Amino acid sequence: MIKVSVMYPNSSDVKFDIDYYCNTHMPMVAELLGDALKDSAVDYGMAGGAPGEAPAFVAMGHMTYESVEAFQKAFGPNAKQILSDLPNFTDAQPVIQISEIKL
């Protein structure tokens, strides 16, 4: 199993509409990617590691797939539609990481 994490860096002036992300964007992504998407979760940053420190990421979306190939096959044909929705909820440039789930 793999996890695709889409992380949105935080800054003092970042725009991020968490309600839109959770209630519109992620359901759209789930519908477009269909059965290839096994699970998803959203993290909304609260704080950094030190007292008073801002979180490094304003939000993160995590999606689980059987394999990198399954993700690529599902995402590829839908990439344009998914990516074109980003300005509707953020002005942050997302950082994407694909990880193998070990536990």
Side-chain angles (χ1 to χ4, degrees):
M1 294 288 281
I2 64 131
K3 181 188 295 182
V4 177
S5 297
V6 183
M7 302 170 286
Y8 299 89
N10 195 13
S11 70
S12 61
D13 62 346
V14 70
K15 169 195 149 205
F16 199 93
D17 183 340
I18 191 65
D19 291 326
Y20 183 94
Y21 188 67
C22 290
N23 298 314
T24 303
H25 183 76
M26 290 300 284
M28 177 194 72
V29 169
E31 183 177 329
L32 290 171
L33 300 183
D35 292 339
L37 178 63
K38 300 304 179 192
D39 195 19
S40 65
V42 172
D43 298 345
Y44 191 57
M46 293 177 57
E53 183 178 60
F57 297 95
V58 66
M60 295 180 269
H62 305 284
M63 298 166 287
T64 305
Y65 299 87
E66 288 291 332
S67 66
V68 173
E69 295 77 21
F71 162 67
Q72 291 171 337
K73 184 177 179 182
F75 183 77
N78 298 295
K80 184 176 180 179
Q81 185 174 352
I82 292 168
L83 296 175
S84 70
D85 193 45
L86 268 64
N88 291 323
F89 62 89
T90 191
D91 57 2
Q93 182 65 37
V95 175
I96 299 170
Q97 177 170 309
I98 300 174
S99 304
E100 181 180 10
I101 299 171
K102 291 295 203 181
L103 291 176

